[in-house]
Amino acid sequence: MPIISDAIKYSRLALGLRGFLSGTITLEESKQVIADRLHDREKNFLSLVQKGIYQNPKSPFLKLLKLAGCEYGDIEPLVNKGGVEAALKKLLADGVYLSWEEFKGRKEVVRGDQHFSFSQRDFDNPYLAVYYQKQSSGSRSAGTRTTFDLNHQLAMTYYCLPILAVHDALDVPIAAWKPILPAASGIVLALNQWKAGKPLDRWFSPVDEKQVQSSLTHRLAMRYIIYGSRLWGAKLPKPEYAGLREAIKVAQWIADAKKQFGGCFLIATVSPAVKLCQAAIENGLDIKGARMIVSGEPLTPAKRQQMEAAGVLVTTKYIISDIGRVGCGCPQAGATDDIHVFSDSMALIQHRRKVANTDSSVDAFLFTPLLPTSTRILLNAESDDYGVIETRSCDCLFGQMGFNTHIHGIRSFAKLTGIGMNIVGTDFVRFLEEVLPSKYGGVAADYQLLEEEDSRGQTHLSLVISPEVGEVDEGEVIAYMLAELRRIPHPGKLTAGIWEQAKMLQVKRVHPISNMGKVATLHLMKK
Ligand SMILES: [Zn+2]
């Protein structure tokens, strides 16, 4: 009975919210908690492996470890001798990792002559109370689950004030331009900022409930959290719709805050933030000196330049919804998208892998969350990102706190990332290779999805259709593509909602780009 189980979850959520919202934390407490977590890093990792994997018969990693002939007693000395990352590298060499396709249930796990398949649920941390969880159903994949646990949220809240301090934004108003549920980022931000004693002044959402075809559960959960929190004295802002064409509304808030308080801080997704800066320039709004932190898609040099043209100080943060918070940039950053890895809660190594549907190989990241409150228990799990890892000191507060591992050049190898929404390439491959040719003619190699960035930092997506395919009604193909996108598990609907308003999809009647005579179905132009 989903309604009854929802009611139980909601009443647990109400009780949990009351505890979560009582009292706020300080910057000093935050620094102390993070220092303790860094100190206990190896202990936390071993405890998570012992309780979350060896004492959790459902854990997929238990099977992989057994297959590698690895007992708990083998891991402890590895960690004691060389640290967490050295142990993870040894485990990777022994086959203890999950590729992104395996982690997402898109591919069977094959190690030697053994075959496994796992469900997303098997990765859940069995020690967390799940207050609110929604699994989108997908016919071709495991879907994505939005897990919402308040103990996990509290653990993450300790990053809020250091992030504001690094950006010199402890005394200015804060706003978010983040979507409503099913994306969890907006509501999580509203709660975490409240807990940190720096609540959001405004919450703008780039989509409304209609555009994302929000389910009843999501609509209820949003209202429940916002109005329920008010019962416990937390005045969370109600999301206000500001679509991409209303970027000026958010820019106006920045200009007003600047006039009244001398500055402000905006947390947003990358492409909308770029649009906002353009809107400010075109409308002669003064947003110079405003600070922004952006995420959700790569912050490329062109996008950063576009934002800096409006006088905005921008950095990036890096969060992976199925894995956790990876880190945050600082104003002293070297590379455009440089971030300090939050190594108190996340371990990170790399390995070389081939990318499906393309002819390239990349150094993919493998993540291992370390805190007892991690929503998923993972050992060397790939997201679909790759990039560069380096160790170096930095003068900023993050550096002083001991966050010396940096990553930059972060790109997705399997997703199209336009306008702050990720859509998984492999879901689209069948559509491009089979559905389109059977409907409009031609063969698989006549169709290609192309992501490129123009000189103004805007991302464009084109459906390339070879001129050899006969006449095609371009509007109809795009409508058909958006409809197909909506059928893809989360964030399909959300992405379609955004792409539709931004009119970011276009049809190009040219020959698909080929490399050595081979046409990759998805082609991401090198930045
Ligand atoms: Zn720094």
Side-chain angles (χ1 to χ4, degrees), residues 332-341 343 348 350 365 387-394 403-409:
Q332 279 99 299
T336 301
D337 63 344
D338 183 275
I339 70 146
H340 287 263
V341 176
S343 37
L348 165 69
Q350 275 176 308
F365 295 141
V388 181
I389 305 181
E390 57 187 22
T391 306
R392 91 184 124 80
S393 58
C394 182
F403 292 148
N404 293 325
T405 303
H406 291 248
I407 51 181
H408 70 265

Side-chain angles (χ1 to χ4, degrees), residues 22-311:
S22 66
T24 53
I25 56 171
T26 65
L27 178 59
E28 283 316 307
E29 274 165 9
S30 306
K31 287 193 218 170
Q32 190 55 52
V33 166
I34 291 170
D36 292 345
R37 296 199 299 221
L38 274 171
H39 178 265
D40 294 335
R41 195 169 187 265
E42 297 176 358
K43 209 172 82 190
N44 283 339
F45 171 69
L46 286 170
S47 158
L48 211 61
V49 169
Q50 189 173 35
K51 293 190 185 140
I53 298 177
Y54 282 98
Q55 293 172 17
N56 173 17
K58 277 172 83 180
S59 171
F61 293 97
L62 185 59
K63 294 192 179 76
L64 295 179
L65 285 163
K66 288 260 145 83
L67 198 65
C70 186
E71 295 299 328
Y72 177 72
D74 301 320
I75 297 180
E76 204 171 351
L78 282 177
V79 173
N80 292 338
K81 191 168 161 247
V84 173
E85 279 74 10
L88 289 171
K89 282 178 191 165
K90 172 76 174 71
L91 292 173
L92 168 67
D94 291 343
V96 183
Y97 73 97
L98 284 181
S99 75
W100 170 79
E101 294 88 344
E102 293 166 345
F103 177 38
K104 297 300 283 181
R106 287 159 202 274
K107 222 172 132 181
E108 208 182 22
V109 181
V110 182
R111 299 285 183 276
D113 55 1
Q114 302 278 318
H115 293 239
F116 311 99
S117 56
F118 306 119
S119 103
Q120 283 281 295
R121 206 169 281 271
D122 300 334
F123 299 105
D124 286 350
N125 182 343
Y127 302 101
L128 288 190
V130 173
Y131 297 106
Y132 169 74
Q133 194 169 59
K134 180 83 182 99
Q135 174 154 28
S136 51
S137 54
S139 53
R140 293 188 298 275
S141 75
T144 300
R145 280 145 46 92
T146 312
T147 304
F148 185 84
D149 174 85
L150 288 167
N151 289 321
H152 171 69
Q153 290 313 328
L154 179 62
M156 294 298 110
T157 298
Y158 292 106
Y159 296 123
C160 288
L161 294 172
I163 288 175
L164 292 180
V166 157
H167 294 89
D168 195 17
L170 285 167
D171 300 313
V172 294
I174 307 167
W177 195 13
K178 289 274 182 180
I180 49 174
L181 286 173
S185 57
I187 192 72
V188 159
L189 198 62
L191 284 168
N192 290 4
Q193 288 297 140
W194 176 271
K195 184 68 186 171
K198 283 293 297 170
L200 291 181
D201 204 48
R202 303 277 285 273
W203 172 8
F204 303 100
S205 171
V207 285
D208 62 17
E209 288 177 344
K210 229 175 93 202
Q211 284 163 345
V212 297
Q213 301 179 353
S214 188
S215 69
L216 183 63
T217 318
H218 285 136
R219 278 178 281 151
L220 285 177
M222 281 288 298
R223 285 162 181 74
Y224 201 91
I225 294 170
I226 290 170
Y227 296 109
S229 297
R230 291 186 181 185
L231 288 179
W232 314 124
K235 202 171 172 303
L236 302 184
K238 233 174 62 184
E240 305 164 52
Y241 173 64
L244 296 177
R245 277 184 228 137
E246 284 106 307
I248 194 68
K249 189 171 168 182
V250 189
Q252 188 65 55
W253 174 82
I254 295 179
D256 293 346
K258 196 192 148 180
K259 238 184 245 160
Q260 208 180 337
F261 303 98
C264 67
F265 191 64
L266 179 77
I267 305 164
T269 25
V270 177
S271 290
V274 174
K275 281 201 177 299
L276 182 160
C277 292
Q278 282 174 343
I281 293 171
E282 282 160 17
N283 291 274
L285 269 185
D286 178 12
I287 61 166
K288 271 192 201 79
R291 291 175 168 81
M292 287 186 198
I293 189 159
V294 293
S295 57
E297 59 179 300
L299 178 64
T300 58
K303 287 192 169 71
R304 176 187 275 267
Q305 234 169 39
Q306 195 65 38
M307 295 179 73
E308 286 172 345

